[in-house]
Amino acid sequence: MNKPLFTGKGSLGNMPKGPSQRQLRVAEEVRHVLADVFARTEFRDPELRDKRLTVTEVRMTPDLRNAIIYVVRLGQDNVEDLLPALKRAAPYLRSQLSQKLRLKFLPELRFHADTGLDYAAKIDVLLHSPEVLRDLDKDDK
């Protein structure tokens, strides 16, 4: 049974609610620290050395013990190839977080490729296709 990572009870019964202010604040702090580490590219792993990565989003679980980090590669789209290397570098990244953040529990880091930019580019291509432009011109008349 797969349980969703983010759950909660809203005022309408079992409706899921959004993240708390604390979750958002901690996630943003984690994102800033990881972005600084990625900007310096100080990795021993040869797969990560000299790779330009950026953290687009961090989502924290309600107990702040797990962090899902969404990353993209600047200028390239093959970030999935680097996910195993990021998993290997997670202990180093956690140590960097421990030096910069004061948290009761240091979160476990899980890395995912951020496909939002690819999706936005695909939608942009669709919106500029001749069929859609033709339909939009009909509405203007």
Side-chain angles (χ1 to χ4, degrees):
M1 172 160 104
N2 290 336
K3 184 178 176 183
L5 193 57
F6 300 99
T7 60
K9 287 194 173 195
S11 60
L12 300 176
N14 289 331
M15 296 285 293
K17 63 179 182 176
S20 68
Q21 285 291 54
R22 179 153 174 81
Q23 282 175 270
L24 294 172
R25 189 173 68 244
V26 170
E28 191 62 18
E29 289 296 322
V30 168
R31 188 182 73 78
H32 279 285
V33 171
L34 291 178
D36 287 343
V37 172
F38 288 145
R40 291 191 310 257
T41 63
E42 298 174 348
F43 295 103
R44 292 182 188 165
D45 193 329
E47 286 186 58
L48 291 176
R49 194 173 299 135
D50 300 327
K51 301 291 191 275
R52 291 291 186 189
L53 295 171
T54 189
V55 180
T56 56
E57 183 181 5
V58 175
R59 293 184 186 171
M60 301 296 297
T61 56
D63 61 1
L64 302 177
R65 290 185 185 234
N66 295 297
I68 299 175
I69 296 113
Y70 293 93
V71 294
V72 295
R73 245 180 114 175
L74 295 177
Q76 299 180 11
D77 59 354
N78 57 349
V79 73
E80 289 87 8
D81 300 339
L82 297 178
L83 292 180
L86 286 169
K87 186 176 181 179
R88 288 191 306 270
Y92 168 73
L93 295 170
R94 288 185 76 211
S95 72
Q96 295 297 307
L97 287 174
S98 70
Q99 293 173 12
K100 306 280 188 205
L101 302 177
R102 292 183 45 151
L103 295 172
K104 186 174 183 179
F105 299 104
L106 204 58
E108 292 292 325
L109 306 178
R110 298 180 187 159
F111 293 94
H112 293 277
D114 189 357
T115 58
L117 296 174
D118 296 335
Y119 183 72
K122 188 169 120 179
I123 295 298
D124 190 49
V125 167
L126 286 174
L127 288 175
H128 289 90
S129 68
E131 295 84 12
V132 173
L133 290 175
R134 181 190 64 221
D135 291 343
L136 289 175
D137 288 339
K138 287 181 184 178
D139 292 339
D140 292 338
K141 292 179 183 179

